[in-house]
Amino acid sequence: MLNPILRTLVKIAVASLVVGTILAHFGITADELMHDFGISTERIEEYAKQGFAWAWPKVLLGSVVIVPIWFLVFLFRPPGRSSSD
């Protein structure tokens, strides 16, 4: 399961590096792009804080249900079988 996720993250990182290199070659910076879209770094920071404040309680609430279920499934799994089977 981790392999496809890791592969996707590597692809995103490589694509971001390529696009960033091309944009830097033409002299385009992140500040210019944000200014063109009318977004400031403070506004992005505020959106990130609001998103985290909204998501974190829901993640904790979900983990109260999911973690015990996972633990029970893990505990009562037949012996001798690995999770990758």
Side-chain angles (χ1 to χ4, degrees):
M1 178 175 158
L2 185 61
N3 191 18
I5 295 172
L6 186 60
R7 194 175 330 151
T8 301
L9 290 175
V10 168
K11 287 179 184 179
I12 291 172
V14 169
S16 297
L17 179 64
V18 169
V19 171
T21 302
I22 292 169
L23 290 174
H25 176 72
F26 290 110
I28 300 172
T29 64
D31 289 335
E32 287 178 4
L33 287 176
M34 289 191 315
H35 184 276
D36 290 344
F37 286 110
I39 300 173
S40 66
T41 55
E42 292 83 16
R43 193 170 184 186
I44 291 175
E45 183 179 341
E46 185 61 32
Y47 285 154
K49 286 180 182 178
Q50 288 175 356
F52 184 79
W54 173 84
W56 186 244
K58 291 164 182 51
V59 169
L60 289 176
L61 181 61
S63 68
V64 167
V65 174
I66 297 298
V67 170
I69 291 172
W70 168 84
F71 181 70
L72 288 174
V73 168
F74 177 78
L75 192 63
F76 293 114
R77 187 175 58 189
R81 296 179 65 193
S82 68
S83 61
S84 63
D85 289 343

